[in-house]
Amino acid sequence: MTRTRMDIWTRTDDEGTWPEVLVAYARAVETMRALDPPTGPPTDPLSWQFQAAMHGRATETGSADRSHPLWSRCQHGSWFFLPWHRMYLAAFEAVVQHHLGDDQWSLPYWYALDPDRPTAAVLPPAFREARADNALFTDQRSVLANGGDPLPDVSDSVTQALGVDVFATDTGVASFGGGERSQPSFFGEEMGAIEDTPHGFVHVVVGNDFDDQGNTVREGWMGSFFTAGLDPLFWLHHANLDRLWQVWLDANPAHRNPPDDDPAWFRTRFRFPKPGGGTRTFRVGDVLDTTALGYTYESVGVPSTFLPAPAPVPPGPPGAPEAPAGGGIEMGGVEEAPPPRPMATPQVVGATQDVSLAQAAPAVVELSEPSDLGLGDGEAGAGPTRVYLRLEGITGTAAAPAYEVYVNVPAGDRGGEHPELLAGRLATFGLAEASRADSEHGGSGLTKVFEITAVRDALADRGRWDPSRVTVSFEPVLPVPSDTDALAQASTGMARAPDLRAARVVVLSA
Ligand SMILES: [Cu+2]
């Protein structure tokens, strides 16, 4: 029988009575914590700290602890991000079921940045009840999160992510799920749209406190790879990311997972402890259908803010009949979407090196050949040139939870006055880990790509596209808790000013 993972806010009533699924979850968390030794590393694979260590655990010097073969194995910055976390959740769900003696218990999800439901941007009440006997509460969270304030509304990033048309890419353009990699990657460097915001943003804002300038004043569990799984809320947040993968697949018939004949995707396997001893190995190809893993989601509806782009039409020889409207090709009664339009190989049309992203002045990218980037090509039938902004090698030790990235904001204006110039948001989860010299890629940092075709078009419509250069400005997203006294108390330590940099800011056309 297929189980349903429920939306935690639809299970929450006004009286604050805990839904049964959370009463059981809290019991399991207690049981699992009791399996951890009072000090020292965890030893029981079914314990709370061990489960969290599989995502990440830090050594004393702050590097990834791999002293156990199952530790520090999370996948970020690549197309393995979504499938690895799906496996991790399925294995965790089985552990909770085991402890509860209930094989029907299903992990609920928290849709923190629902464009249609701003009220759900608040932590569910059970996680905020500050009692010593509440296993779902921790003070290792931000004042904003535990205070019941809504997270800053960046829900349009969810809408934007759902509109990204490819799951993964090896050409440096924007993707939904992350960059293609031939090997598992703790920090694959190239984040997909879904991994950045909503995923990383929720991590940082739930975990860390910031002052009103965006300086980090306190770090909690959700803010770091090495501690995130210790927060019981982590699992509900990731259930939502897992759900959004299905929402993306359903949002447009042209959306699809990487092909199953790609062994680097389909056959890559990961191992997780299972109840009763031993481990269970999943291949990526085994987890592409949630019903095969025994669950579905209460809702996988696309937000009302999402306007599906018309399905792309594959190019045919001149004079060939056009593909049917709507992009569907009837084949034996089964609607089969055409493959996405083959994209021209992206070309670098401008780049600038070593840019501070924590400064007010915009970065300037001179375009190598003054270019309209294909404006007007639309009439020629080839489709307009698509334009991308790529931020490579983003490093730093401290940053605001996210930055809004704007293109060609007029001098003296703030980006917020020009929503049509917003390229997207860059969340800074994983920044410090990816910047360490002893990390997987020697501290080469994160990479984030935005498609800015619509921004280019908006500028051109106003006669403001500058063919010789693109300017890029970064404005911090500042979470401001209503309980300023609690924030002042939390921030007894030193405020760490953002030192975010990008090795290269690149404009691509395709
Ligand atoms: Cu995460």
Side-chain angles (χ1 to χ4, degrees):
M1 201 181 78
T2 307
R3 293 172 289 104
T4 304
R5 289 186 178 172
M6 308 300 292
D7 180 326
I8 198 57
W9 269 108
T10 70
R11 302 294 113 186
T12 303
D13 65 22
D14 293 340
E15 272 83 63
T17 321
W18 285 26
E20 188 48 44
V21 64
L22 289 187
V23 175
Y25 182 41
R27 213 163 56 229
V29 175
E30 274 172 38
T31 306
M32 292 171 75
R33 287 202 174 124
L35 298 174
D36 283 318
T39 55
T43 52
D44 185 330
L46 307 188
S47 82
W48 188 253
Q49 284 187 36
F50 195 106
Q51 290 287 310
M54 287 161 18
H55 189 273
R57 182 179 161 87
T59 63
E60 270 169 23
T61 62
S63 61
D65 183 350
R66 300 216 168 85
S67 58
H68 189 289
L70 294 175
W71 289 353
S72 298
R73 297 291 152 190
C74 67
Q75 299 289 302
H76 290 88
S78 86
W79 62 352
F80 295 124
F81 168 71
L82 284 169
W84 185 87
H85 282 82
R86 174 168 287 178
M87 297 169 193
Y88 185 42
L89 260 54
F92 173 80
E93 199 172 52
V95 171
V96 173
Q97 289 174 346
H98 164 79
H99 289 307
L100 294 173
D102 175 5
D103 64 2
Q104 292 305 298
W105 184 85
S106 299
L107 188 62
Y109 63 89
W110 175 39
Y111 191 176
L113 297 172
D114 182 345
D116 291 313
R117 198 173 39 156
T119 52
V122 176
L123 257 65
F127 292 83
R128 291 186 271 122
E129 284 178 22
R131 291 181 281 104
D133 64 346
N134 178 6
L136 304 184
F137 173 79
T138 169
D139 61 6
Q140 291 291 315
R141 287 189 198 126
S142 65
V143 167
L144 177 131
N146 271 344
D149 290 326
L151 310 190
D153 183 5
V154 298
S155 62
D156 56 333
S157 295
V158 175
T159 314
Q160 188 188 30
L162 293 173
V164 176
D165 53 6
V166 294
F167 184 90
T169 181
D170 62 356
T171 62
V173 300
S175 68
F176 177 75
E180 288 189 31
R181 292 290 181 274
S182 55
Q183 295 291 325
S185 299
F186 192 59
F187 302 111
E189 301 171 297
E190 190 147 348
M191 293 184 284
I194 197 71
E195 181 179 342
D196 183 79
T197 320
H199 165 251
F201 180 76
V202 171
H203 266 281
V204 180
V205 173
V206 168
N208 299 352
D209 284 302
F210 302 87
D211 67 14
D212 57 8
Q213 306 296 307
N215 301 312
T216 309
V217 297
R218 181 171 176 263
E219 289 167 329
W221 282 342
M222 277 282 272
S224 162
F225 285 11
F226 297 132
T227 48
L230 294 171
D231 188 334
L233 190 63
F234 166 91
W235 305 90
L236 281 76
H237 171 45
H238 266 278
N240 185 51
L241 273 305
D242 187 57
R243 189 188 67 86
L244 286 169
W245 183 3
Q246 188 60 47
V247 175
W248 178 79
L249 284 169
D250 293 347
N252 187 317
H255 290 176
R256 59 195 62 197
N257 290 323
D260 56 14
D261 60 2
D262 187 334
W265 161 258
F266 209 71
R267 296 209 199 117
T268 296
R269 38 186 96 218
F270 298 98
R271 213 152 55 90
F272 300 85
K274 70 169 196 277
T279 56
R280 175 176 180 187
T281 299
F282 297 95
R283 295 180 321 158
V284 170
D286 297 334
V287 301
L288 301 178
D289 173 8
T290 69
T291 56
L293 293 169
Y295 68 90
T296 54
Y297 285 103
E298 178 179 352
S299 166
V300 288
V302 295
S304 66
T305 47
F306 177 76
L307 299 172
V313 177
E322 296 214 346
I329 299 168
E330 289 292 328
M331 290 173 69
V334 181
E335 180 126 331
E336 184 92 351
R341 176 165 65 90
M343 212 166 54
T345 309
Q347 308 287 337
V348 172
V349 294
T352 185
Q353 316 274 342
D354 196 25
V355 175
S356 165
L357 310 187
Q359 60 171 20
V364 179
V365 184
E366 307 283 350
L367 301 183
S368 49
E369 279 170 44
S371 168
D372 60 4
L373 295 178
L375 270 176
D377 282 2
E379 288 95 277
T385 302
R386 298 170 71 163
V387 191
Y388 298 88
L389 176 67
R390 196 175 147 83
L391 311 174
E392 294 178 350
I394 304 161
T395 54
T397 58
Y403 292 80
E404 301 200 312
V405 182
Y406 292 94
V407 171
N408 288 17
V409 173
D413 286 5
R414 287 188 57 78
E417 299 163 41
H418 300 275
E420 75 285 3
L421 303 182
L422 179 69
R425 292 186 186 81
L426 168 72
T428 54
F429 181 56
L431 174 76
E433 292 92 327
S435 303
R436 291 177 60 95
D438 59 4
S439 79
E440 196 170 72
H441 300 286
S444 52
L446 307 170
T447 289
K448 178 67 198 278
V449 195
F450 306 101
E451 178 164 5
I452 57 167
T453 310
V455 177
R456 185 273 316 267
D457 291 348
L459 283 162
D461 286 350
R462 291 164 175 76
R464 295 212 327 255
W465 176 253
D466 180 343
S468 65
R469 56 188 228 155
V470 167
T471 65
V472 188
S473 26
F474 302 87
E475 296 184 5
V477 177
L478 302 176
V480 184
S482 48
D483 191 345
T484 47
D485 289 348
L487 179 66
Q489 269 187 357
S491 31
T492 45
M494 187 175 32
R496 291 161 59 216
D499 58 356
L500 195 69
R501 302 191 77 77
R504 216 162 71 116
V505 175
V506 187
V507 177
L508 295 166
S509 74

